[in-house]
Amino acid sequence: MDFDDTPEEASFRAHVRSVLEEHASELLHVAPGEPVDARSREAELRDTQRVLAEAGLVGVTWPREYGGQGGTLVQQAIVGQELGRARVPTLINHIGIGMCGPTVIAHGSDDQRSRYLARLLRADDVWCQLFSEPGSGSDLAALRTSAVRDGEDWVVNGQKVWTTLAHVADFGILLTRTDPSRPKHAGLTMFVVDMHAPGVTVRPLRQMSGGADFNEVFFDDVRIPDSERLGEPGEGWRVALTTLMNERVAIGGAGSDIGPSPESLTAHARDRLPALSPEQQVLARQAVGRALVASLATRYTGYRRFTTLSQGGVPGPEASAGKLGGTAAARLVTDAGVRLLGDEAVLGATADGDDTWQRAQAYVPGIAIAGGTDQVLRNILGERVLGLPPEPRTDKSAPFSSGGRR
């Protein structure tokens, strides 16, 4: 693909820059590498997304009938690049925009689309994705959170974990088990859940980076109206696949960087190498070289996928390669960044208080789990892209309630 803007793309980029300059005083800006805590800066992040949405820079690829701009993926990428250039942080509702909203568009009712989508784009409502559970690990279909029909409602009990932004979310998409007598992939149903409903409890999970981006969420007799169901009862796995495909494109599947960019590593190396001993410089240069090769290879491979999507393709299992390669590259980049610190690498921050690279190295392992572990992604690529024989699964057709036994 041609990495230069077409005349139309250059015009769109100029428009985005103009909009960002016009609204600069209304947007949150951060320094390079500065962490943005959604817990303490929620109001600023919501205001920033609202301003951007009203200016037409949120939901660029969404259909106009649902509040989007009907634009292209390239235009969406240009908006992302220009937001980064202007030091505007990641949108607080990025999960809602990239995963929950597309799922509601694909599987929701007209009433749900009318009530939720426009508010989601403006961050009037922040959304989260409630998939992972403590007892099922990376085997999503082994989830045990139950939903039992009671009149016009469903009563939900169970626990989710590693839920990003649950602490500020107003709504979430929730995958539940509604028929344990069917095989584990068949007895699932998806709902929209009000995160402020009675019986919903959110607890933060403190990470080794010091942050608390993830949460565990408990559901105790939470009542969800049947009108909040996404898709048919028992068809939740099909709905969830829509979410997962969009998630893997959003997390590195279209050439976006996971963790610090290769450019930030290059700048860091330029500043730090002279301070290292000759022996340390040799090791650091090797680490930087490996990281840059891996990172740029992942980026450009993602751009090829991005081109396919821009030409009308749909997200598929091959997007898993971008997430798998992206997290591997992120580990190399952050490791090289820490090595460049020399003796200060053993400390939580440098002498002047900068902890950018130590914090990134502590944060990346969590991203490696989000959206599917490396092992899950390799299985997807092996079976669904390369056509290799699947792993033996004794529980694939057995009723879930039998524990995988017939």
Side-chain angles (χ1 to χ4, degrees):
M1 66 180 290
D2 187 348
F3 294 117
D4 295 326
D5 287 343
T6 66
E8 293 78 14
E9 290 162 358
S11 175
F12 181 76
R13 187 183 296 278
H15 165 69
V16 174
R17 287 187 183 182
S18 174
V19 169
L20 293 179
E21 290 173 2
E22 178 184 352
H23 294 280
S25 63
E26 304 169 76
L27 304 174
L28 175 63
H29 297 83
V30 296
E34 178 184 350
V36 180
D37 182 5
R39 295 177 190 274
S40 60
R41 311 195 75 167
E42 177 185 349
E44 295 169 281
L45 289 166
R46 286 187 186 245
D47 288 344
T48 290
Q49 182 172 324
R50 176 184 51 77
V51 171
L52 294 173
E54 292 175 352
L57 300 186
V58 178
V60 173
T61 61
W62 281 29
R64 289 186 181 276
E65 63 187 294
Y66 302 130
Q69 302 300 312
T72 67
L73 284 167
V74 173
Q75 290 177 329
Q76 177 66 71
I78 288 172
V79 171
Q81 292 166 0
E82 293 304 316
L83 289 175
R85 177 178 174 276
R87 307 298 186 193
V88 176
T90 301
L91 299 180
I92 190 171
N93 219 2
H94 63 279
I95 291 176
I97 296 165
M99 304 167 205
C100 303
T103 304
V104 173
I105 289 174
H107 301 283
S109 64
D110 289 341
D111 176 61
Q112 288 170 325
R113 297 184 189 111
S114 174
R115 284 187 287 122
Y116 292 133
L117 296 177
R119 292 180 58 82
L120 186 157
L121 290 175
R122 292 195 305 267
D124 293 337
D125 299 324
V126 174
W127 285 58
C128 64
Q129 176 202 67
L130 297 147
F131 277 16
S132 299
E133 295 193 4
S136 56
S138 295
D139 186 3
L140 174 59
L143 65 88
R144 293 184 177 278
T145 294
S146 66
V148 178
R149 187 71 183 260
D150 181 19
E152 293 302 312
D153 293 342
W154 294 79
V155 180
V156 177
N157 283 281
Q159 179 188 355
K160 300 290 180 177
V161 73
W162 307 120
T163 307
T164 305
L165 294 175
H167 54 293
V168 296
D170 302 290
F171 292 95
I173 53 174
L174 172 67
L175 191 59
T176 67
R177 185 165 301 284
T178 50
D179 188 354
S181 69
R182 299 181 67 189
K184 66 180 186 179
H185 291 85
L188 306 176
T189 303
M190 184 89 89
F191 297 95
V192 174
V193 60
D194 180 351
M195 294 296 289
H196 305 300
V200 178
T201 304
V202 179
R203 295 177 182 170
L205 292 170
R206 187 64 60 185
Q207 302 150 238
M208 64 179 176
S209 63
D213 302 292
F214 309 119
N215 304 272
E216 53 185 352
V217 183
F218 298 87
F219 297 90
D220 297 304
D221 292 329
V222 176
R223 301 188 75 87
I224 301 177
D226 185 58
S227 59
E228 296 304 321
R229 176 167 41 80
L230 290 173
E232 297 300 317
E235 295 296 321
W237 187 249
R238 186 171 66 87
V239 181
L241 288 179
T242 299
T243 312
L244 292 172
M245 293 305 177
N246 282 285
E247 179 183 50
R248 285 164 192 158
V249 171
I251 306 178
S256 55
D257 298 316
I258 296 176
S261 68
E263 288 78 11
S264 65
L265 177 61
T266 303
H268 181 49
R270 189 181 303 119
D271 293 339
R272 300 293 302 202
L273 272 174
L276 302 180
S277 69
E279 294 78 11
Q280 289 175 321
Q281 285 196 25
V282 171
L283 295 174
R285 288 179 186 277
Q286 291 174 346
V288 170
R290 283 194 297 270
L292 291 179
V293 168
S295 187
L296 293 175
T298 302
R299 177 186 291 183
Y300 296 141
T301 301
Y303 282 175
R304 288 197 300 177
R305 189 175 310 105
F306 189 72
T307 301
T308 301
L309 294 174
S310 298
Q311 294 172 346
V314 297
E318 66 277 4
S320 299
K323 202 272 177 174
L324 184 63
T327 52
R331 289 191 183 98
L332 292 172
V333 168
T334 54
D335 180 67
V338 170
R339 284 171 179 265
L340 285 164
L341 297 174
D343 294 341
E344 289 183 303
V346 300
L347 305 174
T350 60
D352 58 3
D354 184 0
D355 65 348
T356 299
W357 290 95
Q358 295 96 327
R359 182 165 30 79
Q361 191 180 47
Y363 180 75
V364 163
I367 298 298
I369 297 172
T373 64
D374 290 356
Q375 292 78 11
V376 167
L377 298 178
R378 288 193 180 98
N379 271 349
I380 292 171
L381 291 168
E383 296 174 13
R384 300 180 60 190
V385 177
L386 301 178
L388 298 176
E391 284 191 339
R393 297 187 176 97
T394 58
D395 61 347
K396 189 172 183 179
S397 59
F400 183 79
S401 57
S402 72
R405 300 183 303 273
R406 277 196 177 279

